[in-house]
Amino acid sequence: MKATAVSPSNIAFIKYWGKKDTQLRLPANGSISMNLSGLTTTTTVEFNASLKTDECTIDDVKIEKEQKRVSEHLDRIRSLAHISTYAKVVSRNNFPSSTGLSSSASGFAALTVAAVNATGLSLPEKELSILARQGSGSACRSIPDGFVKWTDGNTNESSYAFSIAPSSYWNIVDIVAITNSGKKDIPTSEGMKLAETSPFYQTRLTGMDKKLESCALAIKNRDFTTFGTLIELEALNMHAVMMTSNPPLLYLSPHTLSIIREIQHIRGKGIEAYVTMNTGQDVHILCLPEHSNEISKIIQSLPCCTETIMNHPSCGAHCISNHLF
Ligand code: DP6
């Protein structure tokens, strides 16, 4: 059987950085995110008895180093469905992979939903989120709709994501500013292993529950100033841990910093906008819809910015009927 799923990427407002169980991908702390309408992965999966191995392409290129991780993920689904058939997987991102934008969240969420449906199984959202998490932690947050919380949990079954507000609840905009500084060099999963070596890591974890509560409340109240101030501080808090790991991780490039400074400058002029960054060199700029065009124009005029992608809150991963093969 063949199935196709489309999944949004998501941006974490309260970040996942560090695991308490690497095998199960249980995060050290909970996180909160929003699904992104403009960054999606579409994946078609077909289990086919004539295949001698899993065959996977991303954007028309046969995957190599990611193959093991993808096949291990398919194994989880095969085991649930009690099948041993190999799969053909064709996956496409609607954003250029060379930009350094993270695709593991949308990629593993789309793979999970497509593969589960291709086996003929029908699983509830919670189980899909638990499965997606084991492929890539942040992927579990791309399964539910809109604004999402991922609880850390202490077991496989208790660590999953759920919606705290639908996508229509709050129309905020995430402008992704893509810089011309190239791809990230240290993969997220590798970088995350160093979190515990930072002297600030335990302090970061101690304040987490309070931060999660404040962020959820700011979303509930649609309080943009409280929300923006909190998420910008949170992103820099995570990067402080990265920078003080041993060896240090510097994910922020001079281009990233130029954009952050420009946003602070714009804010000084009374236009509310806030930034958050992950392990790529792109910057996510959060603003209200009435300011999005103006901000996007300003950022695009900077020499370090090659492109901006406008995102609204979106629904989570779901099946579609148009297959990629
Ligand atoms: C900095 O989900 O890519 O983007 O579970 O090892 O695949 P793995 O990590 P991943 O980590 C994302 C880290 C982050 C913050 C976040 O999205 O919460």
Side-chain angles (χ1 to χ4, degrees):
M1 221 175 26
K2 189 189 276 189
T4 301
V6 56
S7 172
S9 184
N10 68 74
I11 179 67
F13 299 137
I14 306 296
K15 311 279 191 186
Y16 152 47
W17 193 249
K19 298 181 175 79
K20 57 181 150 194
D21 185 318
T22 309
Q23 186 84 29
L24 284 174
R25 285 194 149 76
L26 297 181
N29 58 272
S31 51
I32 291 180
S33 62
M34 178 182 100
N35 287 332
L36 301 174
S37 61
L39 298 173
T40 60
T41 300
T42 304
T43 300
T44 298
V45 177
E46 182 176 42
F47 290 97
N48 183 334
S50 67
L51 293 174
K52 303 269 177 292
T53 179
D54 291 322
E55 288 179 3
C56 311
T57 61
I58 299 178
D59 295 332
D60 298 320
V61 179
K62 188 174 179 298
I63 58 169
E64 283 171 15
K65 62 179 191 333
E66 302 96 339
Q67 182 60 58
K68 184 166 174 279
R69 190 164 163 189
V70 169
S71 283
E72 281 170 3
H73 199 57
L74 290 167
D75 284 343
R76 291 181 188 107
I77 293 158
R78 280 188 275 255
S79 146
L80 272 179
H82 306 293
I83 58 167
S84 53
T85 330
Y86 290 112
K88 176 171 174 178
V89 178
V90 173
S91 193
R92 275 188 213 289
N93 295 318
N94 77 339
F95 48 92
S97 48
S98 59
T99 57
L101 281 168
S102 157
S103 56
S104 76
S106 53
F108 276 95
L111 177 68
T112 303
V113 173
V116 164
N117 279 277
T119 66
L121 283 176
S122 167
L123 295 181
E125 180 185 283
K126 176 178 160 183
E127 295 305 321
L128 290 171
S129 179
I130 289 169
L131 266 176
R133 188 204 75 232
Q134 294 170 73
S136 178
S138 55
C140 78
R141 295 187 310 234
S142 286
I143 302 284
D145 283 344
F147 297 84
V148 170
K149 181 172 180 189
W150 172 15
T151 46
D152 52 340
N154 284 314
T155 59
N156 185 41
E157 286 299 310
S158 58
S159 184
Y160 58 93
F162 54 90
S163 181
I164 55 172
S167 51
S168 58
Y169 186 77
W170 196 19
N171 189 13
I172 55 174
V173 180
D174 176 2
I175 305 168
V176 181
I178 298 172
T179 67
N180 48 15
S181 36
K183 273 184 135 176
K184 66 180 177 195
D185 42 11
I186 300 141
T188 303
S189 304
E190 291 306 307
M192 218 183 271
K193 286 183 192 154
L194 299 174
E196 283 171 16
T197 64
S198 163
F200 304 140
Y201 184 56
Q202 285 311 324
T203 309
R204 167 171 170 76
L205 292 183
T206 309
M208 253 325 160
D209 284 346
K210 174 111 199 24
K211 228 192 253 188
L212 286 162
E213 232 175 76
S214 306
C215 184
L217 188 65
I219 292 171
K220 184 168 176 242
N221 294 339
R222 301 187 185 92
D223 176 351
F224 191 64
T225 306
T226 304
F227 167 80
T229 309
L230 179 76
I231 65 150
E232 190 168 297
L233 269 173
E234 157 61 2
L236 293 169
N237 178 308
M238 178 182 73
H239 280 275
V241 167
M242 292 164 163
M243 282 188 244
T244 50
S245 294
N246 187 5
L249 293 166
L250 270 180
Y251 286 113
L252 307 179
S253 73
H255 298 290
T256 324
L257 292 173
S258 301
I259 294 173
I260 300 173
R261 281 179 173 260
E262 183 63 33
I263 293 301
Q264 288 176 342
H265 177 69
I266 291 174
R267 206 154 64 212
K269 294 198 294 190
I271 304 172
E272 262 201 293
Y274 300 90
V275 294
T276 184
M277 298 75 59
N278 288 338
T279 50
Q281 287 159 2
D282 41 293
V283 181
H284 292 252
I285 302 160
L286 277 300
C287 65
L288 294 168
E290 57 266 34
H291 295 135
S292 61
N293 286 336
E294 187 182 356
I295 294 170
S296 179
K297 240 167 89 189
I298 296 172
I299 297 301
Q300 275 180 27
S301 72
L302 300 177
C304 61
C305 176
T306 50
E307 189 188 345
T308 58
I309 301 174
M310 203 81 90
N311 295 278
H312 297 273
S314 102
C315 62
H318 56 278
C319 278
I320 56 170
S321 51
N322 285 347
H323 303 305
L324 294 178
F325 64 90

